[in-house]
């Protein structure tokens, strides 16, 4: 027999569940930009900060709307490959010294908007185990174990280097797969700008390229060989992430793992190096190739940005490194008559983890037309690193 008291309790419980479900069906995200210039960036929200919302809804139903009700492109990332997502990404466009409000809602019936633009990365076994990555602005690659083996065996065209190569793009669409496919029938395919998409005229050799690392000891630079393993963590519309490992190298038998990421819309890859050594490493470095010493270099330890501006073929390229100033010991322009040994070097304070950003802009593929334009972009990147967008979830 059902009593009135039991019926009332059941009704109140049902109402309570409905109210709780309603309260948890939405959440607000406030994104604040304290800098005096607009910022178009990818925002990352740890899953732990979405716990209240996700207690009542599945990740597959989560959607984000802007203040006008427009659904945003989102991307989930599982960094540790445990089958559970760690972060939710979406892109924001925030005016100077302003805030924007976004709504998290459960709306699985509406698909997540597809982006015309994307990030991408992969191992390229068809070209000596390169690892290549790109977004809508820039493209990079580094060299793998097959390339090292072939170089040591004297195979023509192979590369023995831990420097970072850059590919000059003037399209916002992906080029990695297309260019490597062309390479299979024409080894010079992506070294010629015949399709209006860009090309690779950038020589790396044994230099640091744009963002390669090393160790500075007794006035000399020690560098690793090619990476030995790679692991793709994420590639999608907003961010690509991967890890590279290196065989023990240098006088200190350093074991190094690099986690590299690139966000949509950015000219800069983020490099995070974790090192373990048999004895303390005096100074870790990041560098930029000066090639034939014909370009212009600027060092700014106070603000934490470093630039090189050089002409390759018929156009100028700006390369740069941005790093938190408190991690910098000193910087230098090291010029040499030996090929590939001229580098701009940023010497970092001792430690086991080092984070810096490295990137570039090409005159033909961006609004950056002068060295002043490039320096301004580096200045802004330094401020962005020092003052991340402020994100609150309610």
């Amino acid at each position: 027999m059902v009593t009135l008291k039991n019926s009332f309790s059941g009704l109140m419980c049902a109402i309570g569940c409905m109210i709780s479900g309603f309260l948890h069906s939405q959440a607000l995200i406030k994104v604040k930009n304290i800098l005096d210039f607009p910022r178009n960036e990818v925002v990352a929200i740890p899953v732990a900060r979405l716990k209240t919302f996700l207690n009542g809804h599945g990740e597959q139903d989560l959607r984000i709307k802007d203040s006008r009700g427009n659904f945003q492109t989102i991307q989930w990332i599982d960094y540790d490959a445990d089958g559970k997502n760690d972060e939710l990404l979406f892109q924001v466009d925030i005016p100077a010294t302003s805030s924007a409000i976004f709504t998290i809602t459960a709306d699985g019936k509406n698909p997540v908007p597809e982006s015309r633009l994307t990030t991408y990365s992969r191992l390229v076994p068809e070209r000596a185990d390169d690892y290549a990555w790109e977004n809508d602005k820039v493209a990079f690659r580094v060299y793998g174990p097959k390339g090292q083996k072939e170089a040591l065996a004297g195979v023509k065209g192979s590369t023995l280097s831990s420097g970072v190569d850059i590919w000059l793009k003037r399209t916002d669409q992906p080029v990695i797969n297309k260019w490597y496919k062309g390479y299979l029938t024409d080894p010079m395919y992506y070294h010629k700008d015949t399709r209006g998409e860009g090309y690779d005229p950038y020589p790396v050799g044994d230099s640091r390229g744009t963002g390669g690392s090393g160790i500075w000891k007794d006035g000399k630079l020690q560098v690793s060989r090619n990476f030995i393993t790679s692991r793709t963590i994420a590639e999608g519309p907003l961010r690509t992430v991967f890890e590279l490992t290196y065989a023990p190298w240098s006088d200190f038998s350093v074991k190094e793992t690099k986690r590299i990421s690139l966000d949509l819309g950015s000219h800069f890859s983020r490099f995070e190096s974790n090192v373990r050594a048999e004895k303390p490493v005096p100074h870790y470095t990041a560098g930029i190739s000066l090639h034939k010493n014909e370009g212009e270099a600027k060092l700014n330890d106070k603000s934490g940005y470093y630039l090189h501006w050089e002409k390759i073929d018929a156009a100028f390229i700006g390369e740069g490194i941005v790093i938190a100033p408190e991690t910098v010991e000193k910087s230098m322009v090291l010029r040499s008559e030996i090929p590939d040994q001229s580098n701009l070097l940023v010497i970092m304070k001792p430690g086991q983890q080092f984070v810096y950003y490295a990137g570039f802009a090409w005159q033909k593929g961006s609004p950056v037309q002068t060295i002043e334009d490039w320096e301004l972009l580096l200045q802004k990147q330094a401020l962005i690193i020092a003052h991340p967008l402020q994100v609150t979830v309610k």
Side-chain angles (χ1 to χ4, degrees):
M1 179 178 181
V2 179
T3 65
L4 181 61
K5 180 179 180 180
N6 289 339
S7 297
F8 180 76
S9 297
L11 178 61
M12 292 305 294
C13 180
I15 292 173
C17 291
M18 290 174 61
I19 292 174
S20 176
F22 174 76
L23 291 175
H24 294 161
S25 65
Q26 289 191 337
L28 296 180
I29 307 171
K30 180 180 180 181
V31 184
K32 184 177 182 180
N33 171 21
I34 68 169
L35 299 177
D36 62 359
F37 56 86
R39 297 168 67 173
N40 186 288
E41 297 174 30
V42 174
V43 170
I45 302 177
V47 168
R49 296 176 65 182
L50 303 171
K51 187 175 181 180
T52 300
F53 179 88
L54 293 176
N55 279 343
H57 308 282
E59 292 178 355
Q60 71 278 5
D61 294 324
L62 186 148
R63 301 290 183 270
I64 294 180
K65 294 181 180 180
D66 65 15
S67 59
R68 296 181 178 180
N70 298 314
F71 286 98
Q72 306 298 293
T73 300
I74 60 176
Q75 180 182 345
W76 296 92
I77 296 188
D78 174 11
Y79 285 101
D80 54 10
D82 66 352
K84 299 178 181 178
N85 288 318
D86 299 304
E87 279 187 343
L88 173 66
L89 311 180
F90 70 105
Q91 195 167 34
V92 299
D93 193 351
I94 311 293
T97 60
S98 300
S99 298
I101 301 295
F102 298 84
T103 302
I104 300 176
T105 184
D107 194 346
K109 294 181 180 179
N110 280 296
V112 174
E114 293 186 5
S115 174
R116 187 183 70 85
L117 308 176
T118 191
T119 69
Y120 183 67
S121 72
R122 73 174 176 96
L123 182 68
V124 187
E126 64 266 36
R127 219 305 297 193
D129 287 345
D130 294 349
Y131 198 100
W133 67 103
E134 67 179 319
N135 65 6
D136 53 323
K137 304 288 186 184
V138 290
F140 304 79
R141 69 170 168 175
V142 287
Y143 304 102
K146 184 179 178 182
Q148 175 176 310
K149 182 179 179 180
E150 291 180 350
L152 293 174
V155 176
K156 186 178 180 180
S158 54
T159 305
L160 179 62
S161 175
S162 57
V164 179
D165 190 21
I166 60 175
W167 279 6
L168 310 183
K169 291 176 61 172
R170 48 176 167 167
T171 173
D172 60 9
Q173 293 301 294
V175 299
I176 286 174
N177 287 338
K178 182 177 182 179
W179 288 10
Y180 276 116
K181 182 179 180 181
Y183 163 84
L184 294 177
T185 54
D186 176 8
M188 294 300 295
Y189 184 86
Y190 52 74
H191 291 291
K192 300 174 291 185
D193 186 13
T194 57
R195 296 163 300 280
E197 299 172 332
Y199 70 132
D200 173 24
Y202 187 86
V204 176
D206 196 33
S207 76
R208 296 302 78 211
T210 298
S213 56
I215 290 172
W216 185 253
K217 180 192 175 187
D218 298 333
K220 294 183 179 180
L221 182 65
Q222 300 183 21
V223 299
S224 69
R225 290 183 171 181
N226 301 20
F227 71 84
I228 58 171
T229 68
S230 65
R231 178 172 75 94
T232 303
I233 296 173
E235 51 95 9
L238 300 176
R239 176 177 294 170
T240 186
V241 189
F242 59 96
E243 282 187 347
L244 308 172
T245 63
Y246 294 81
W249 59 279
S250 80
D251 294 345
F252 308 91
S253 295
V254 167
K255 294 181 179 179
E256 181 181 17
T257 299
K258 285 183 181 178
R259 177 173 287 190
I260 302 172
S261 61
L262 177 64
D263 286 359
L264 189 72
S266 178
H267 286 84
F268 302 93
S269 289
R270 182 182 187 273
F271 292 77
E272 177 185 313
S273 282
N274 291 278
V275 298
R276 296 292 182 271
E278 292 184 356
K279 52 185 179 179
V281 176
H283 296 294
Y284 196 79
T285 72
I288 298 171
S289 174
L290 301 180
H291 292 126
K292 297 180 180 180
N293 297 309
E294 296 173 348
E296 183 175 351
K298 289 188 179 183
L299 312 176
N300 193 320
D301 291 340
K302 182 178 179 180
S303 298
Y305 70 83
Y306 308 85
L307 70 84
H308 187 230
W309 182 257
E310 64 177 324
K311 192 173 186 179
I312 296 181
D313 294 338
F316 282 90
I317 301 165
E319 304 105 338
I321 290 174
V322 186
I323 185 171
E326 60 270 18
T327 67
V328 177
E329 184 76 30
K330 61 181 179 179
S331 58
M332 67 181 71
V333 173
L334 183 66
R335 301 188 187 277
S336 172
E337 294 182 0
I338 302 173
D340 303 328
Q341 296 305 302
S342 293
N343 292 284
L344 182 160
L345 296 177
V346 183
I347 314 298
M348 302 174 220
K349 295 176 181 178
Q352 292 184 324
Q353 185 182 80
F354 307 91
V355 177
Y356 58 92
Y357 294 74
F360 67 96
W362 183 34
Q363 247 184 355
K364 289 187 177 181
S366 77
V368 174
Q369 295 297 301
T370 66
I371 188 173
E372 291 78 17
D373 293 339
W374 180 230
E375 185 166 12
L376 180 61
L377 195 60
L378 289 165
Q379 290 171 345
K380 288 182 176 180
Q381 183 66 22
L383 288 170
I384 285 169
I385 293 171
H387 303 283
L389 291 169
Q390 299 174 5
V391 182
T392 56
V393 181
K394 295 181 180 180

